[in-house]
Amino acid sequence: MSAADHDNGSPIAPGSPLARALGEFTVPELPAGFADRVLAAAEARPAVALPPLPELRRKPAGGGAARGWRLGRRIAIATVGFGALATAAAATGLLGRFDLPVPSPEKVWASLTGKEAVAAPAPASKPVEAAPADPAPAALAPVRIEGPIDTPEELGEAFRRIDEVRQGRSAMRRQAIEQRIEREKARRAAAGLPLPTPEQEARIRQRIDAAEARREGLIDERLEVRREEMRGRVEAGEALSREDIVRPLREDQHAMQQREKLERLRRMSPEERRAAVRRLPPEERRALMEAWQERRAQRLGTDAPAGAQPPLAPDAAPAVTPQPDLSQPGTPGGEPQR
Amino acid sequence: MTASGTPSPVAKRADAGFDDAALVARMAARDPAALREAIARHAGSLNRIAFRMVGNTHEAEDIVQEAMLRLWDHAPRLAARHAAGTSAPAGLRLSGWLARVATNLAIDRLRAARRVSGEDVPERADDAPLADEQIAADERDAATRALVLALPDRHRAAIVLTYYEELPNAEAADALDMNIKAFESLLFRARAALRQAFAAQGDAP
């Protein structure tokens, strides 16, 4: 027997030397009159009045069935516990931090019923990623117009609500830009790259603000034209539906989608971008090129005075800004004109 | 029933429980034939346990007799707890109950013997006239007996109940009033000690 086996408490294998040795431990039979002797002792034993036994703590019936119930209860507790933890994780946004998409109850219900989900307003606590990339659906939700609008007061209220949403979106966008600038500065600091001087940073912010103001101004102009038209229709006694009011915003949403598409192209390498543009349908490709050329022409026209300023290093600019400075020359890029 | 058509172990145990409950009910009614039947069924197993625990024929006999008499005394209480017409009778297992009583009696006697003599039990048992005959009859038997009897009381009980009597760990744990985890730990240590003693015996000149 090896030294390792000495401390071994594993079962004794049949046929092993130890098992053979243990087999030698024979037991003599009980004597023939043993039962009679016990019976005689029992008869002679005085009757003892013992107290009744206490109740069994666990009912002995059906050992297997009882085990099944215990197992089932444990599984049920584990399932409920896991569900509670998962719900808590989803509710606290923990899954979002791990990039796990959590569909909203509206989306789940819409997928079950086949109806279109009503877009919910974007949460104010998550403006960074949502605002520049996908603000349009959030813009539609808070504006609720019940019934036809046939008085100037109702129309004014509808415009007021829309403006509220737009202001919220604008604030979110500004916040996102601030955060991206700070993130880019942190990234550059971590990478050992030179940070923009305060003057350079001020110029970047100025250009971003100018671009933002230009964008807002263009949207305001378009909205004002449409609003004038709607005011005229209401004054003429026409009742406006919800569709009439939110249509401009839907156009806005379309523009946002277009912008997002351009942004994706801008981030690609020149080869990838060329291949992606080639894959687009001809009419879409044409629209994209026209939007880019129009935007470029406008940029060259409006940014001419800025050319006198000392240019920033290309990597000093924030990662994503409404400015087209980071677009590749000769390719579609930047923000579409609204 | 299992796929082969034989009753499943759970069904067998339930049947044995009803059988034992009926036997206990008869003993509670003071039927001597029921006690005789119980002796016929269980005395052999109890004798093996007792003898391997104490290593002495007379002591083993006494233990078996005492266990059977205790069953006789406790039959009314057991019958009341496992009354017929309920599901409780299936939970009664006389073999387990008796093994528990016999093991505890054996351990009590071993402790008492140590208190009285201050020596190990085999040496005290050798005073009996039968011991000489047994040792003379089979030296190998004596060597193995010494091997088992050299174990501490509870280690010995764990080996006797699980190895010799082939009781499941849960039943052996019940017999020793232990929970299953503690018993498994005890059994592991008992096997290790037994192997160590066996190896030492092999190394002896």
Side-chain angles (χ1 to χ4, degrees):
Chain A
M1 188 178 286
S2 69
D5 290 334
H6 291 177
D7 295 328
N8 187 359
S10 58
I12 299 160
S16 64
L18 179 58
R20 282 200 299 275
L22 290 173
E24 303 291 344
F25 194 170
T26 55
V27 178
E29 294 290 322
L30 285 166
F34 178 76
D36 293 331
R37 219 170 51 226
V38 175
L39 279 170
E43 295 287 337
R45 207 172 172 87
V48 285
L50 296 168
L53 292 170
E55 281 295 310
L56 288 173
R57 278 182 301 173
R58 180 159 51 86
K59 294 295 176 194
R67 184 179 171 276
W69 276 112
R70 284 199 298 277
L71 189 65
R73 192 172 60 184
R74 284 174 194 160
I75 290 171
I77 289 169
T79 308
V80 169
F82 177 77
L85 285 175
T87 307
T92 54
L94 189 66
L95 300 180
R97 283 166 58 189
F98 293 114
D99 206 19
L100 297 174
V102 181
S104 66
E106 288 82 6
K107 283 182 182 171
V108 174
W109 180 249
S111 70
L112 292 174
T113 58
K115 292 177 184 171
E116 187 184 356
V118 179
S125 58
K126 290 177 66 183
V128 183
E129 302 303 331
D134 192 21
L140 297 177
V143 182
R144 290 273 187 274
I145 300 166
E146 305 294 341
I149 294 173
D150 48 7
T151 63
E153 291 75 23
E154 283 181 347
L155 188 62
E157 173 62 18
F159 291 158
R160 190 190 64 76
R161 291 185 195 176
I162 290 171
D163 286 342
E164 265 182 15
V165 174
R166 288 190 61 223
Q167 281 165 9
R169 283 175 47 202
S170 181
M172 284 158 59
R173 221 169 13 246
R174 277 196 298 275
Q175 195 178 350
I177 289 167
E178 282 298 321
Q179 286 175 351
R180 287 182 179 188
I181 289 173
E182 292 305 319
R183 215 160 45 216
E184 175 63 14
K185 281 163 66 181
R187 186 192 70 79
R188 292 180 63 81
L193 296 168
L195 292 172
T197 62
E199 293 77 22
Q200 286 174 327
E201 193 176 324
R203 275 199 299 277
I204 291 171
R205 288 179 191 280
Q206 194 181 357
R207 286 162 64 185
I208 290 170
D209 290 344
E212 187 68 10
R214 193 168 58 243
R215 174 180 177 281
E216 289 291 327
L218 286 169
I219 294 174
D220 283 346
E221 277 175 27
R222 288 172 51 201
L223 279 180
E224 196 48 47
V225 170
R226 189 166 289 276
R227 284 179 182 185
E228 271 305 311
E229 178 200 334
M230 284 189 282
R231 283 191 197 102
R233 285 164 66 183
V234 167
E235 281 167 9
E238 189 180 341
L240 296 178
S241 68
R242 181 178 179 280
E243 289 301 309
D244 294 326
I245 302 290
V246 300
R247 191 153 54 91
L249 294 179
R250 287 199 173 162
E251 286 171 3
D252 188 26
Q253 183 180 1
H254 174 73
M256 284 290 180
Q257 285 169 351
Q258 183 86 341
R259 177 192 159 197
E260 209 178 331
K261 204 176 290 176
L262 284 167
E263 187 67 27
R264 275 201 302 273
L265 285 169
R266 192 178 69 77
R267 286 185 193 139
M268 293 176 182
S269 68
E271 294 77 22
E272 286 173 338
R273 192 180 300 114
R274 270 194 289 275
V277 170
R278 242 180 264 124
R279 279 197 301 271
L280 289 172
E283 59 274 13
E284 201 173 328
R285 189 164 52 212
R286 202 176 308 117
L288 205 65
M289 294 302 287
E290 280 169 6
W292 173 70
Q293 282 166 357
E294 186 185 344
R295 172 74 183 144
R296 189 159 182 262
Q298 191 179 15
R299 250 183 62 213
L300 289 174
T302 54
D303 286 358
Q309 297 170 343
L312 272 176
D315 51 2
V320 178
T321 72
Q323 287 283 30
D325 294 335
L326 299 178
S327 61
Q328 298 288 330
T331 56
E335 194 179 15
Q337 182 63 48
R338 290 168 195 259
Chain B
M1 299 279 275
T2 59
S4 62
T6 56
S8 68
V10 173
K12 270 189 196 169
R13 289 179 60 157
D15 287 349
F18 282 108
D19 213 13
D20 285 344
L23 194 62
V24 167
R26 283 169 56 204
M27 277 190 274
R30 294 300 179 231
D31 177 3
L35 179 58
R36 187 180 289 279
E37 196 176 329
I39 293 168
R41 279 191 203 173
H42 301 291
S45 157
L46 297 185
N47 183 45
R48 290 195 301 271
I49 292 172
F51 183 75
R52 284 178 172 132
M53 284 295 293
V54 297
N56 180 277
T57 314
H58 291 294
E59 295 246 17
E61 265 181 49
D62 281 353
I63 288 169
V64 178
Q65 180 172 330
E66 181 60 27
M68 297 314 299
L69 289 174
R70 284 198 183 184
L71 172 62
W72 180 255
D73 290 343
H74 285 77
R77 302 168 79 194
L78 288 171
R81 178 185 269 182
H82 302 278
T86 66
S87 57
L92 178 60
R93 289 194 60 253
L94 268 189
S95 60
W97 191 89
L98 287 167
R100 181 178 187 156
V101 171
T103 307
N104 287 328
L105 285 172
I107 290 174
D108 283 351
R109 283 181 182 238
L110 289 168
R111 286 176 183 165
R114 265 200 298 276
R115 277 199 300 274
V116 171
S117 70
E119 294 177 0
D120 284 343
V121 170
E123 279 70 24
R124 196 180 78 87
D126 286 347
D127 296 339
L130 270 177
D132 287 338
E133 294 168 24
Q134 286 169 355
I135 293 168
D138 196 341
E139 282 184 3
R140 287 180 305 172
D141 180 19
T144 306
R145 205 184 313 168
L147 186 69
V148 175
L149 295 178
L151 292 172
D153 300 347
R154 293 175 78 79
H155 285 188
R156 194 185 314 167
I159 295 290
V160 167
L161 293 173
T162 58
Y163 181 77
Y164 284 113
E165 294 306 311
E166 299 179 345
L167 288 187
N169 285 0
E171 286 184 23
D174 269 350
L176 287 174
D177 261 340
M178 298 174 80
N179 70 46
I180 183 74
K181 288 287 172 197
F183 177 77
E184 282 170 355
S185 170
L186 173 77
L187 182 59
F188 188 88
R189 291 197 306 273
R191 287 179 187 142
L194 188 64
R195 284 198 167 94
Q196 210 163 10
F198 181 60
Q201 204 175 55
D203 294 341

